[in-house]
Amino acid sequence: MSLPSPSFDLTPMDGYAHDWALVDVETSGLVPRRDRVLSVAVVTVGPDGEQTGEFSTLLDPGCDPGPVDVHGLTAERLRGAPAFDQVAERIAALLQNRVLVAHNAQFDYDFLAHEFARARMWLPVSQRLCTLALNRQVDPPTADMKLGTLAAHYGVPQQHAHDALDDTRVLAGILRASLREAARLALPLPFVSCPPRAESQFTPKPPKTPCTYRNPGRLTPGAPLRQGMKVAITGETVRARAELIGRGVAAGLNMMSSVSRHTSVLVTNEPASGSAKAQRAVAEGVPVIDEDTFLLLLSEVEAGAAHHAPGPASVIPAPRQAEPVPVGPGDRPLAGHRVLVLGGTHTEAVDARSRVVELGGSAAVNLSRSVTDVVVLSGGENDRRMARIMELGLSVHDAQWLVDPASTATVATPVADVDAGAGVAEASAGPAAPHVLPRGGVIDLPAPASPWHVTASWAPLEHGEVDVVAFVLDEDEQVSFDEDFVFYGAPENPGGTVHLLTNGPAEQTITVDVASLPPSSHRVVVAAAIDGGLSFGGVGAVQVAAAPGSSAAPLTRATLDAATSERTLILAELYRRGPLWRFRAVGQGYDHGLDALARGYGVHIAD
């Protein structure tokens, strides 16, 4: 079978022609460490765009197939199909030495990684490409980024949605069209490196249930323990550590794996041992008791105050940032414009992007099909993208345009409408414009059917990396336990309600299932940190968008700038306000590193 548009040759496009392995899986659920793959399809494509191989099969997962109404794979249909380990070698041969491609690629990659680990094999993938992330960079004029929507936009026929093989064939057509658009815009491809991952990393860990009670503070000498106290244990113990932890949890204590300034008490039989926890307890003035005292106090633990999810009558502190003041249509001459600012000093570029938002427009951080205007400040004419901008016929302005943009008679033509290319079908309905928030702006979130996706993106960096992280906080602005700090080394909190997705070197997403967060979770802070001696002044603007699902159009978007020296940046917050959840664009930077930011939220960072 040949792919759609066989006349389009990828080989002349330097940097865009690779050996590809396009993958789609249907699964029994959404959690790779728990759920199983029900069907898998792999289509291989060469650098010239021609298909070189194809394989698909149903799989017997050995468990309930889950949402049959979504994938149509009943237990009867799967009965007699091979188990994954019976086809793993054949799949591995197709993936070997190729770039794995999928729509929402981390989902398919993680499920395959777990299945290969269960089969006692390595997943032979060193690099992956997400067509969802690629199309977020291209930004076509579609209502959303779902596979079917993009297929209609690019003119790729789709016959059986949620059929792994048909979805993979559709994906092949979408990949080809997306690569052409990326080449036309001179966009770097959002490859993600996939180093080998040890099997132990895929071993499911016992879920940790958040403590029901608020932390009442530190243990006072002579006073009883109280439910909700944060208790850590270090050193050798007479009784098994697991037994002590289990008894503490049963008594309503919050048994911690580390010590911070919010720890109520440290339990140790060797206070002078010099362990990291003991040293930290001394530094923070945390009370220390021995094992026998702890067991004695466990016999009479006072009742604590339970966490509560705020209801309509709850009194919630006002937002720290003032909410934006509504303006009339006459004050929004850039409504409908998406403006890319090039050049200038850091301060000049920040001022220009802020002015774009004040005038009702949206500030872009990268060239995409939705960009309508380009403002060139001093030195911006030397930007590598200028030649492509002129070829695309975008409206180019100097800084004076932001003083009086109303003098421009017509709205500039977005890239999406310029030379769209033969064979690309325009979507019947364009995307709804996201609500543009200034720094400190707030918007109420409707209850989505899927987790909220908070995506941060920035201009690609030649050196250094940006890491997006999240903190799940209680009403005291502290994590309930260290595992509520989500980062690249621990990309999911124990409850699976907050997850980090790496979409590419210049885009990362935090997903938040607000409907499943426990009552103790009142706020989720999304932040970013830059490594080494770099700062966010060298990164430039960071765009943050919130969407109700991985493929949904953004509900809201903000473009945030830090000053010159910040190494960490709080991007956004999702927080409870009465019965609702809200999203706030923050944009607050700090000169200190991620370790200091984490400690402020009660997380212990090992040296």
Side-chain angles (χ1 to χ4, degrees):
M1 172 184 172
S2 297
L3 298 179
S5 306
S7 61
F8 180 59
D9 188 3
L10 297 174
T11 50
M13 302 190 336
D14 185 34
Y16 298 87
H18 296 269
D19 282 305
W20 312 97
L22 293 88
V23 173
D24 185 70
V25 298
E26 298 297 327
T27 64
S28 64
L30 302 177
V31 183
R33 57 182 163 81
R34 180 195 67 199
D35 301 317
R36 302 299 300 271
V37 174
L38 307 178
S39 70
V40 59
V42 183
V43 169
T44 59
V45 176
D48 60 356
E50 292 296 323
Q51 180 173 323
T52 59
E54 180 179 286
F55 172 73
S56 67
T57 183
L58 297 177
L59 296 167
D60 185 349
C63 66
D64 186 278
V68 174
D69 58 318
V70 174
H71 49 63
L73 300 176
T74 63
E76 289 73 20
R77 282 192 63 190
L78 299 175
R79 189 174 296 118
F84 186 89
D85 58 4
Q86 294 176 281
V87 297
E89 289 189 3
R90 185 169 181 182
I91 294 172
L94 293 170
L95 299 177
Q96 187 76 42
N97 299 322
R98 292 184 171 93
V99 178
L100 183 148
V101 180
H103 203 60
N104 194 7
Q106 184 161 342
F107 179 89
D108 298 77
Y109 172 82
D110 284 349
F111 265 98
L112 286 177
H114 279 80
E115 291 290 0
F116 271 90
R118 294 185 184 101
R120 301 296 188 266
M121 294 176 61
W122 294 101
L123 173 62
V125 173
S126 61
Q127 202 172 45
R128 69 175 187 254
L129 176 71
C130 177
T131 50
L132 181 60
L134 176 58
N135 276 278
R136 274 199 289 261
Q137 287 190 4
V138 171
D139 203 10
T142 55
D144 53 53
M145 296 289 179
K146 295 178 181 178
L147 193 73
T149 305
L150 291 174
H153 170 70
Y154 289 126
V156 179
Q158 184 179 32
Q159 298 177 356
H160 305 291
H162 296 293
D163 174 85
L165 181 57
D166 188 66
D167 282 352
T168 310
R169 290 170 174 167
V170 170
L171 182 65
I174 290 173
L175 174 65
R176 293 180 58 129
S178 303
L179 290 173
R180 181 183 63 188
E181 291 300 299
R184 193 166 65 90
L185 294 165
L187 297 175
L189 296 181
F191 289 122
V192 174
S193 296
C194 305
R197 295 159 72 179
E199 182 182 330
S200 61
Q201 292 181 262
F202 295 95
T203 302
K205 297 180 180 178
K208 183 171 181 178
T209 304
C211 184
T212 306
Y213 306 96
R214 295 183 63 172
N215 183 8
R218 290 183 174 172
L219 176 67
T220 303
L225 290 169
R226 190 171 184 182
Q227 289 175 325
M229 282 186 169
K230 292 188 174 183
V231 180
I233 302 174
T234 189
E236 295 293 330
T237 56
V238 176
R239 291 163 181 78
R241 179 78 64 88
E243 178 187 347
L244 295 176
I245 292 173
R247 292 180 65 174
V249 170
L253 301 175
N254 191 353
M255 303 303 293
M256 305 291 292
S257 59
S258 64
V259 173
S260 74
R261 62 189 176 92
H262 299 280
T263 302
S264 304
V265 62
L266 174 67
V267 178
T268 179
N269 295 325
E270 305 167 291
S273 65
S275 72
K277 292 179 184 178
Q279 292 181 20
R280 180 78 173 168
V282 171
E284 298 290 354
V286 174
V288 177
I289 60 175
D290 61 24
E291 180 181 352
D292 289 338
T293 303
F294 178 59
L295 290 170
L296 181 63
L297 292 174
L298 276 178
S299 63
E300 294 186 27
V301 178
E302 286 190 347
H307 289 292
H308 66 282
S314 300
V315 178
I316 306 297
R320 291 191 293 270
Q321 299 281 351
E323 299 189 23
V325 178
V327 295
D331 299 318
R332 299 171 58 86
L334 292 188
H337 290 249
R338 188 145 169 76
V339 183
L340 178 64
V341 177
L342 302 180
T345 66
H346 180 83
T347 301
E348 290 170 342
V350 171
D351 290 344
R353 284 188 285 265
S354 298
R355 178 63 176 161
V356 168
V357 175
E358 289 174 5
L359 296 171
S362 173
V365 298
N366 287 305
L367 180 63
S368 70
R369 292 185 64 176
S370 65
V371 169
T372 60
D373 301 85
V374 179
V375 172
V376 180
L377 306 178
S378 58
E381 65 277 1
N382 299 320
D383 189 285
R384 64 174 180 80
R385 293 167 289 187
M386 275 304 300
R388 192 55 52 94
I389 287 168
M390 300 307 294
E391 291 175 8
L392 293 169
L394 286 172
S395 296
V396 179
H397 315 274
D398 59 21
Q400 186 61 31
W401 180 68
L402 294 176
V403 177
D404 186 19
S407 61
T408 301
T410 59
V411 174
T413 303
V415 178
D417 296 330
V418 179
D419 187 27
V424 176
E426 292 298 329
S428 59
H435 186 86
V436 178
L437 289 179
R439 183 176 178 227
V442 177
I443 188 171
D444 289 338
L445 298 177
S450 58
W452 281 96
H453 284 61
V454 180
T455 299
S457 56
W458 49 90
L461 302 177
E462 292 185 7
H463 305 287
E465 295 182 353
V466 175
D467 293 310
V468 175
V469 302
F471 301 91
V472 185
L473 307 178
D474 60 19
E475 58 267 68
D476 299 316
E477 298 293 307
Q478 299 294 304
V479 296
S480 294
F481 37 76
D482 286 345
E483 292 83 357
D484 265 342
F485 170 38
V486 174
F487 65 108
Y488 63 91
E492 184 180 56
N493 71 335
T497 52
V498 180
H499 198 93
L500 168 66
L501 305 176
T502 302
N503 310 318
E507 178 184 294
Q508 293 177 34
T509 296
I510 296 291
T511 71
V512 184
D513 186 358
V514 295
S516 300
L517 284 171
S520 59
S521 301
H522 280 234
R523 187 184 305 269
V524 179
V525 173
V526 179
I530 192 164
D531 64 355
L534 301 177
S535 70
F536 276 98
V539 175
V542 178
Q543 178 181 282
V544 181
S550 61
S551 302
L555 170 72
T556 186
R557 179 189 288 150
T559 302
L560 306 170
D561 289 282
T564 57
S565 59
E566 278 85 343
R567 295 173 54 211
T568 54
L569 177 65
I570 297 180
L571 302 172
E573 297 176 334
L574 284 78
Y575 66 98
R576 298 184 193 263
R577 187 168 179 82
L580 302 175
W581 279 88
R582 285 182 151 190
F583 175 88
R584 178 187 294 123
V586 181
Q588 176 65 55
Y590 300 93
D591 288 346
H592 55 61
L594 179 59
D595 54 347
L597 182 68
R599 280 196 295 268
Y601 291 125
V603 178
H604 171 71
I605 300 292
D607 294 331

